[in-house]
Amino acid sequence: MAEGAATLTTVWVVDWLRESARVIGEHRQELIDLDRAIGDADHGENLDRGFSAVLAKLDGADPGTPAAMLKLAAMTLMSSVGGAAGPLYGTAFLRAATSLGDTEQIGPDDVVGLLTAARDGVVARGKAEPGDKTMVDAWTPAVEAAGTAAMAGASVVEVLAAAANAANAGATATEPLIARKGRASYLGERSAGHLDPGAVSTGLILQAAVDAAGGQP
């Protein structure tokens, strides 16, 4: 696993959001193609527009606390992303911000807390459960892996890496599932054989968190 700082700060949150914007832009067409197969083909376009808007808000913004930056991202995503992705990711970032409170130094347990809060927000907003072929299938194993790593004494970067790896594995595991939520559920058994685009984008965003943390002093 990667090594890095003992704790993370607002600098990490800003770098995470910038890296998320970059990687979503890089994978925009892949996400569009995945969503075209079982949805309405707008996931990549919507997320790219949303994180581009977040990127624009970061320029000149007062860094403040980690929670303040996450809340800025949440409100921007909610106001700029259509479809289901905006409310889901907006709620995830908003719940993550709330979990941090006024914390300025983010340790391993704080990472577990913010990931758990984000996952719970996604579940509350989307009413989905593991196995429904949604982004919950990436968030839930990410939370579980992060908790296990933190309990084993892993560093903050190692906890993030465990979460991202589990999220990516969870996204891969959505391929054979039959969708039970959203537009993909209209396809019934024909939804099997395709990755869920929300689970894939969750893996990308959590990997962006790892990459941002790896660059912290």
Side-chain angles (χ1 to χ4, degrees), residues 45-216:
E45 185 68 37
N46 283 342
L47 275 192
D48 187 39
R49 181 173 62 254
F51 276 97
S52 294
V54 171
L55 203 57
K57 287 287 183 68
L58 292 177
D59 293 334
D62 180 356
T65 62
M69 283 292 99
L70 288 171
K71 185 176 180 181
L72 174 68
M75 302 313 290
T76 304
L77 290 171
M78 287 182 180
S79 63
S80 61
V81 179
L88 288 170
Y89 275 114
T91 300
F93 279 108
L94 191 59
R95 292 286 187 93
T98 301
S99 78
L100 291 176
D102 296 330
T103 300
E104 296 186 354
Q105 300 291 328
I106 302 171
D109 290 340
D110 298 313
V111 168
V112 176
L114 75 85
L115 291 174
T116 301
R119 187 277 310 275
D120 291 350
V122 168
V123 170
R125 173 69 72 169
K127 310 298 183 189
E129 300 176 353
D132 282 348
K133 197 181 182 85
T134 71
M135 61 173 65
V136 172
D137 291 306
W139 279 104
T140 294
V143 168
E144 292 171 350
T148 300
M151 288 186 65
S155 72
V156 66
V157 180
E158 290 171 336
V159 170
L160 281 171
N165 289 339
N168 285 315
T172 300
T174 63
E175 184 167 358
L177 299 178
I178 297 172
R180 298 193 294 243
K181 288 287 182 180
R183 186 178 293 270
S185 66
Y186 301 160
L187 297 177
E189 293 186 356
R190 286 183 292 134
S191 65
H194 303 281
L195 296 174
D196 177 69
V200 172
S201 63
T202 296
L204 292 172
I205 289 169
L206 293 185
Q207 183 59 48
V210 181
D211 295 341
Q216 297 298 297

